[in-house]
Amino acid sequence: MKQCIKVWTEDSVAKPHVIVAGAATWSIKIHNGSNEALSQYKMNITSIAPLLEKLAKTSDVYWVLQDPVYEDLLSENRKMITNEKIDAYNEAAVSILNSSTRNSKSNVKMFSVSKLIAQETITESLDGLHLPESSRETSAMILMNVYCNKILKPVDGSCCQPRPPLTLIQKLAACFFTLSIIGYLIFYIIHRNTHRKNKPCTDLESGEEKKNIINTSVSPLEVLLQSFCKLGLIMAYFYMCDRANLFMKENKFYTHSTFFIPIIYILVLGVFYNENTKETKVLNREQTDEWKGWMQLVILIYHISGASTFLPVYMHIRVLVAAYLFQTGYGHFSYFWIKGDFGIHRVCQVLFRLNFLVVVLCIVMDRPYQFYYFVPLVTVWFMVIYVTLALWPQIIQKKANGNCFWHFGLLLKLAFLLLCICFLAYSQGAFEKIFSLWPLSKCFELKGNVYEWWFRWRLDRYVVFHGMLFAFIYLALQKRQVLSEGKGEPLFSNKISNFLLFISVVSFLTYSIWASSCKNKAECNELHPSVSVVQILAFILIRNIPGYARSVYSSFFAWFGKISLELFICQYHIWLAADTRGILVLIPGNPMLNIIVSTFIFVCVAHEISQITNDLAQIIIPKDNSSLLKRLACIAAFFCGLLILSSIQDKSRH
């Protein structure tokens, strides 16, 4: 072995990429397990250690620890090969090879996994010494993972991949959050000392306490530092969970029970916690929060159970995603139509709340914006709604009430929007040209092209338009007092209500039957944009036509609905893992306890990020237009710097 390795260390000789070496069992057998043989083994290892270390600088060198034996099955001429002797030889090899370099860590790697595998499979051995075929296959598979994964970097594997090096942007982000934490601690200490000085003091003459008048209002600077301090700690947790290889990840394995049992459980909880609504209008605030909440919980269970492999479940989840976008169209159209507020403050507030967390994650986790596909989707659709309604002529409810002609004008606007959607949906080339333009390409490209973005956009291309149209029809009917929205009253007359309820239930079930009979995902995806609105409208009517159903809501689901966006985004890294392809393991060996602990932390973090986003939105997006324009200039400069740094990083990677 020494001679062979010595030849490889010479510069003129071609070297293997991987060397797997090991020895001990034959030494024990030939020398009948004597102590002299162990001493000689140590001398031999010592003599080849420098050569292995030299070879390890250019090749991957693995020293295989000897596998245990099943002593009861060993033949008489192998009885001297005991597990005690094997452990002694392994300890000698590890000790010598790890100490072969004085000032640095040894480059020779210990391949100890085969020993761990053998401990589980040695009882299946035929002779007590040689392992079954499955053990060698597993060891070989791990060895291939060790070598190949760091080159191929497979998206569905986390084993044996080196931690990606920190980018310049990540280093700058780490510095920023560290300074924020230090700044807040300094601010807190100063504030605490000031508070101590202002404590009530006793008047020596009267014996009464005198209270100093102090300003208890929290300054914007303190809120800013506190928010970034908390966000910095949260982002450190994100990085440790899904980038630092600190925690294990496990694969998803779908079974019907892992999906449907949690669904039944949360449904029972949701029904148990119910309260009366403050108002009984169709799709009131509590009801939309409830709707978003239960949909988000179902989507989370869908993701962690790996239910995307089961086509009927996949098709129903696609409807839930479409329902989110339907609410986007309905909510923003209603706001602009009723309020007529097309000011820049409103736009910036919405864009900030939608994108703040994703922008921070793109920086910290080194992921493209399109990776978090749902946020780009709702952001673009919000801008489409805004531009459609804000462009001349601006038609709002107040103006339309005076003249029915304006209703016709708005319908023309919506018809033009539908025409544009159809054109882009069936003209992939035009769509890709628009979003391949710089700097849009930096936001919407994934793996070097915008196909993924086109696919995501096209999958739910009509549903936002449907939401806008529904809002227009509903608000028009409401204005003309066609609807009965009193507490406990059905939405229409009894006959019409019963008829619409019957049609809604039939439509809802018909869609579910169709989705459950899907055989081909591509064909069903092609039909989905046109038919998803059927089940959405059916649900809205079933939920709102009966007066008693409209008067109550689930506070349990509504609570989750208020943080639904944060839950959807945070799951990528701190609940799931490996960028959603696996499951985060905080507590190995106990799946139930692990899911309870990781879920608790995940929900708490999502709630905290929601609070941080709301606090920062009040400070960074002021109502005063002149101050807002200055902030926008700073934000624009920040993104320009980010684009420049990103371009430099891309060039260095290539």
Side-chain angles (χ1 to χ4, degrees), residues 272-323:
F272 184 77
Y273 292 99
N274 64 79
E275 296 178 15
N276 292 326
T277 57
K278 293 177 182 177
E279 55 181 356
T280 55
K281 292 181 179 179
V282 173
L283 292 180
N284 56 66
R285 183 58 184 267
E286 288 100 340
Q287 192 184 125
T288 53
D289 282 341
E290 173 202 87
W291 192 7
K292 286 189 284 187
W294 70 257
M295 287 195 302
Q296 185 56 63
L297 291 175
V298 171
I299 289 171
L300 290 174
I301 294 167
Y302 164 80
H303 281 151
I304 202 165
S305 63
S308 59
T309 56
F310 186 48
L311 196 52
V313 171
Y314 167 82
M315 291 308 300
H316 282 87
I317 296 298
R318 289 276 13 124
V319 176
L320 299 190
V321 175

Side-chain angles (χ1 to χ4, degrees), residues 379-398:
T379 300
V380 166
W381 278 117
F382 167 72
M383 291 307 299
V384 167
I385 296 164
Y386 176 77
V387 170
T388 302
L389 298 177
L391 283 178
W392 183 89
Q394 283 187 6
I395 305 170
I396 59 173
Q397 191 179 57
K398 191 176 180 181

Side-chain angles (χ1 to χ4, degrees), residues 148-414:
C148 299
N149 281 7
K150 61 186 176 184
I151 299 168
L152 298 175
K153 297 178 181 176
V155 294
D156 60 345
S158 57
C159 167
C160 318
Q161 291 195 55
R163 183 177 62 81
L166 287 172
T167 65
L168 177 60
I169 294 175
Q170 285 176 308
K171 290 175 183 176
L172 290 172
C175 291
F176 172 78
F177 284 124
T178 303
L179 290 173
S180 297
I181 293 168
I182 294 168
Y184 177 69
L185 291 174
I186 293 169
F187 194 96
Y188 176 77
I189 291 165
I190 294 170
H191 182 75
R192 190 179 178 187
N193 290 337
T194 306
H195 182 70
R196 279 181 177 177
K197 289 177 183 178
N198 288 320
K199 273 187 176 179
C201 57
T202 305
D203 190 326
L204 296 175
E205 293 181 4
S206 63
E208 295 177 356
E209 283 190 345
K210 289 183 178 179
K211 293 185 179 179
N212 293 324
I213 299 170
I214 56 172
N215 185 16
T216 57
S217 62
V218 181
S219 68
L221 178 61
E222 184 179 357
V223 174
L224 202 67
L225 286 173
Q226 185 184 47
S227 297
F228 281 124
C229 174
K230 289 191 287 186
L231 189 63
L233 295 173
I234 289 169
M235 287 301 114
Y237 178 67
F238 269 77
Y239 188 86
M240 286 191 295
C241 285
D242 208 20
R243 285 295 174 275
N245 292 338
L246 189 63
F247 299 111
M248 292 173 63
K249 287 89 177 173
E250 63 184 16
N251 291 323
K252 305 174 189 177
F253 294 102
Y254 174 74
T255 60
H256 293 320
S257 59
T258 57
F259 177 74
F260 289 105
I261 290 175
I263 294 288
I264 295 168
Y265 181 68
I266 64 160
L267 182 64
V268 171
L269 281 175
V271 171
F272 184 77
Y273 292 99
N274 64 79
E275 296 178 15
N276 292 326
T277 57
K278 293 177 182 177
E279 55 181 356
T280 55
K281 292 181 179 179
V282 173
L283 292 180
N284 56 66
R285 183 58 184 267
E286 288 100 340
Q287 192 184 125
T288 53
D289 282 341
E290 173 202 87
W291 192 7
K292 286 189 284 187
W294 70 257
M295 287 195 302
Q296 185 56 63
L297 291 175
V298 171
I299 289 171
L300 290 174
I301 294 167
Y302 164 80
H303 281 151
I304 202 165
S305 63
S308 59
T309 56
F310 186 48
L311 196 52
V313 171
Y314 167 82
M315 291 308 300
H316 282 87
I317 296 298
R318 289 276 13 124
V319 176
L320 299 190
V321 175
Y324 266 102
L325 294 171
F326 182 93
Q327 285 194 50
T328 298
Y330 172 83
H332 292 306
F333 178 92
S334 299
Y335 179 87
F336 290 127
W337 176 249
I338 296 169
K339 302 282 187 182
D341 177 14
F342 296 100
I344 193 170
H345 177 261
R346 165 71 182 178
V347 176
C348 292
Q349 278 274 340
V350 173
L351 292 179
F352 183 86
R353 290 175 191 274
L354 286 176
N355 290 276
F356 172 71
L357 175 58
V358 165
V359 169
V360 174
L361 285 177
C362 288
I363 293 169
V364 173
M365 305 302 286
D366 190 30
R367 282 292 171 266
Y369 180 61
Q370 182 55 35
F371 177 75
Y372 307 94
Y373 74 92
F374 187 73
V375 171
L377 207 54
V378 291
T379 300
V380 166
W381 278 117
F382 167 72
M383 291 307 299
V384 167
I385 296 164
Y386 176 77
V387 170
T388 302
L389 298 177
L391 283 178
W392 183 89
Q394 283 187 6
I395 305 170
I396 59 173
Q397 191 179 57
K398 191 176 180 181
K399 184 188 287 188
N401 287 340
N403 191 340
C404 290
F405 172 77
W406 291 114
H407 286 99
F408 180 70
L410 183 63
L411 288 172
L412 284 178
K413 273 191 169 187
L414 292 178

Side-chain angles (χ1 to χ4, degrees), residues 1-2 5 21-25 27 37-53 62-66 88-100 106 108 110:
M1 186 189 290
K2 181 179 179 181
I5 293 169
T25 310
S27 297
L38 179 59
S39 300
Q40 184 61 47
Y41 178 81
K42 290 178 180 178
M43 291 173 60
N44 292 342
I45 294 287
T46 305
S47 68
I48 66 166
L51 297 174
L52 288 172
E53 193 63 39
Y62 298 95
W63 185 267
V64 181
L65 298 183
Q66 298 300 291
Y89 275 72
N90 282 337
E91 286 172 14
V94 170
S95 175
I96 294 166
L97 291 172
N98 283 339
S99 61
S100 59
S106 174
V108 179
M110 295 295 138

Side-chain angles (χ1 to χ4, degrees), residues 11 13 23 34 82 132 142 259 285 343 426 448 466 553 579 627:
D11 294 334
V13 178
S34 66
T82 63
I142 292 170
F259 177 74
R285 183 58 184 267
Y426 293 101
H466 291 145
Y553 77 103
D579 295 334
S627 300

